[in-house]
Amino acid sequence: MKPNISLRAQSSLERLENRIAPAGLLFTATRGIVNVLLDGGTDGTYDILADSFSPFINYRGGINIATADMDGDGNSELITAKASGTPSIKIWAVTGGGHVGPLLDTITPALGNARGASVAAADLNNDGRDEIVIGSGPGFPPVVLTARDSDRDGLFSDETFDSIAPFAANFRGGVKVAAGNTNNTGGEEVIVAMGRAGGKVAVFSDVNSNAILSDDVAGKLEEFTPFGAKFRGGINVASGPISGAGTGGADIVVVKATGKPSVLIFTDSNASGTVSDDALFDTIPLTGPGYVSGANVGAGDTDDSGILVEVITAPAHGKASIIKILDDDGDLGALLSDNDPDDVRPAFASPAAGVTVAFGKVISESFSFPDGPIGLPDAATTTLRFSVPSGAGLIRDLDVGLAIAHTYDPDLDVTITHNGVSVVLFTDVPAASADGFIIRLSDEAINDIGAATGVSGSALTGTFDPEGAAVLSTFDGLDASGEWTLTIVDDAAGDSGTLFNWTLFVTT
């Protein structure tokens, strides 16, 4: 199922064309629409609109969003949840170029008369695969649901959801959820904040690492009131390891949902496993258009450091949609509050009614030749081309897959070319004749394909290093987008074959 695409003119954002873009994706949502922004100049500013779509048909309310690595491949999926009305959650695939779709799963959580839901993702048991976390919306007793894809079929809608009550049953203000490894041990904790009419934050841990919270007697690590015991305006929350804060675990970032907004950052500086027994790390006042009554907050590695995250904010109410990316830029001291924002820009061209934010990454994708099978004539050169879509990202690692049938492999010389750069993958191999190739070529492979030995009547199979001194790292740093060419030379008479497929495996 395709998302309901509704691309719109954005005067403040530059359309995605033939630009170099990293695999960082900044998601913003308002009034039923989600925008996907990219950092087009790899300078930490998200100035390219990659996609814009409506995840819920005929719905124009608020959307809570999160990203998750559901299948452990290192790539983020997008989670969208209605913030009002009957709770509904959808999970979407995302490309490195920021294009959304297809729809992977739809969840209708059992939350009674709750108005909407919040979402997060947490790797509770530290197995490299995220669990989905759902918080009940207003009008319903506070509930947090979690589920893992236990049968690994890519679906959460067919799972049994675990349930905990984070606050007293008479609280009806809804809860907001986030996740981060706040105690720097094992998997991630689930962080729950009172969304309206309250001011508490609680942290829950999967102590026995079974991806279930309800069976952990000591699972509630802490509960605190970041804005003081008298504050009842609701809290929005995010988490991640922030530069200069704490002892390496994830920090807790909170902001008022109503009232004059400031970002507060709490960190476990004394390594006790909790943040509420430590002094407040930083306070960042939020000013400017839209920052009048409350804010939403997210966290993500927007500058591609690989480890640390930045704080992302957006107005929770009003007509402005100015997002800000906050970071410590390496000046004296580790605070974010004494630095200008890394990026300040409208997320939407037209006035918004509160904007939510999330950040994710797509670090690996495969792109395959679409026109196979193609005959490989005897004693001839065959040139095959296809294009990788714009915005695929800068290459950090490249592997090449080949599926070829041929009656005498040593006749073939194969070269790959992109952006004016060519690498000869192999010439006249294997040393003993084989009939075809079903191989993956990788710089990380142990065996050189030039030394491979084949068996007549069988295809050469396995993963090999390109022949001799050739390395696919020659392409590292280039934009993966654009035309790729595979040249196959049959340099001797008497045999022919067929190319069934060739594939690029790109890590960005």
Side-chain angles (χ1 to χ4, degrees):
M1 177 178 175
K2 293 285 187 181
N4 181 25
I5 301 297
S6 58
L7 288 170
R8 311 188 314 162
Q10 305 279 330
S11 60
S12 59
L13 297 170
E14 189 175 352
R15 287 268 180 207
L16 177 62
E17 295 175 349
N18 294 321
R19 295 288 305 277
I20 296 174
L25 309 170
L26 177 57
F27 301 92
T28 62
T30 190
R31 287 184 174 177
I33 297 173
V34 177
N35 277 357
V36 189
L37 309 180
L38 298 181
D39 174 9
T42 63
D43 58 359
T45 61
Y46 283 74
D47 54 352
I48 289 179
L49 176 66
D51 207 348
S52 182
F53 79 108
S54 299
F56 304 101
I57 297 174
N58 297 324
Y59 173 76
R60 292 296 179 265
I63 300 176
N64 289 318
I65 53 178
T67 61
D69 181 5
M70 301 296 194
D71 53 8
D73 66 354
N75 298 327
S76 294
E77 287 77 47
L78 172 65
I79 312 170
T80 60
K82 287 184 178 179
S84 60
T86 302
S88 180
I89 295 164
K90 295 186 177 184
I91 303 174
W92 307 86
V94 186
T95 72
H99 301 293
V100 179
L103 177 65
L104 302 177
D105 199 5
T106 298
I107 301 169
T108 304
L111 293 175
N113 60 346
R115 298 190 298 276
S118 62
V119 285
D123 183 2
L124 294 174
N125 58 350
N126 200 29
D127 67 350
R129 300 163 66 94
D130 285 339
E131 285 69 54
I132 191 168
V133 182
I134 301 171
S136 57
F140 190 72
V143 172
V144 172
L145 305 177
T146 59
R148 63 179 305 189
D149 180 15
S150 58
D151 56 7
R152 300 202 171 184
D153 63 351
L155 300 176
F156 287 80
S157 54
D158 62 353
E159 298 290 338
T160 299
F161 280 73
D162 184 40
S163 175
I164 62 170
F167 305 112
N170 62 353
F171 174 70
R172 292 293 193 274
V175 296
K176 296 296 181 71
V177 289
N181 189 2
T182 60
N183 64 0
N184 204 22
T185 301
E188 293 182 313
E189 281 64 58
V190 172
I191 306 157
V192 188
M194 291 181 168
R196 299 181 186 175
K200 293 181 180 179
V201 173
V203 181
F204 297 84
S205 184
D206 178 20
V207 177
N208 58 9
S209 297
N210 65 350
I212 297 173
L213 296 176
S214 61
D215 64 353
D216 292 292
V217 175
K220 190 172 186 178
L221 299 184
E222 59 183 320
E223 180 177 292
F224 63 106
T225 53
F227 297 101
K230 294 183 178 181
F231 178 72
R232 293 288 187 273
I235 294 174
N236 293 316
V237 63
S239 183
I242 295 170
S243 176
T247 56
D251 308 302
I252 296 179
V253 184
V254 296
V255 65
K256 291 179 179 179
T258 58
K260 189 175 181 179
S262 291
V263 171
L264 305 186
I265 301 175
F266 292 85
T267 187
D268 183 18
S269 59
N270 63 4
S272 67
T274 61
V275 303
S276 55
D277 61 346
D278 295 272
L280 179 64
F281 174 72
D282 200 2
T283 301
I284 311 167
L286 295 174
T287 59
Y291 290 98
V292 177
S293 179
N296 287 311
V297 66
D301 182 16
T302 62
D303 62 1
D304 202 27
S305 68
I307 303 174
L308 303 173
V309 303
E310 285 68 56
V311 174
I312 310 161
T313 67
H317 306 283
K319 294 183 177 181
S321 65
I322 303 297
I323 56 173
K324 297 184 178 184
I325 298 178
L326 311 173
D327 192 15
D328 173 40
D329 293 332
D331 57 350
L332 293 176
L335 300 179
L336 283 66
S337 55
D338 60 0
N339 295 269
D340 292 331
D342 284 356
D343 196 11
V344 178
R345 69 182 57 255
F348 296 87
S350 60
V355 176
T356 54
V357 293
F359 188 84
K361 287 191 173 185
V362 175
I363 63 172
S364 62
E365 288 187 90
S366 61
F367 306 93
S368 295
F369 178 67
D371 297 325
I374 297 290
L376 301 176
D378 185 28
T381 297
T382 303
T383 303
L384 308 165
R385 297 183 177 89
F386 75 93
S387 290
V388 171
S390 298
L394 302 182
I395 299 170
R396 294 186 180 179
D397 186 67
L398 174 69
D399 290 359
V400 178
L402 294 174
I404 297 173
H406 201 272
T407 52
Y408 190 69
D409 287 0
D411 282 2
L412 301 183
D413 303 338
V414 180
T415 301
I416 189 169
T417 303
H418 174 61
N419 200 25
V421 176
S422 294
V423 171
V424 178
L425 300 177
F426 57 82
T427 60
D428 303 329
V429 299
S433 174
D435 296 334
F437 298 89
I438 304 175
I439 61 172
R440 181 163 173 157
L441 296 167
S442 170
D443 288 346
E444 291 72 42
I446 297 174
N447 299 317
D448 191 301
I449 194 170
T453 56
V455 177
S456 180
S458 299
L460 179 68
T461 62
T463 300
F464 301 92
D465 183 60
E467 185 179 11
V471 289
L472 289 167
S473 61
T474 303
F475 296 106
D476 288 0
L478 299 181
D479 183 10
S481 305
E483 186 176 80
W484 290 79
T485 302
L486 190 74
T487 304
I488 302 175
V489 178
D490 185 323
D491 59 10
D495 294 275
S496 61
T498 301
L499 178 131
F500 289 96
N501 195 18
W502 64 288
T503 302
L504 304 173
F505 300 94
V506 180
T507 300
T508 55

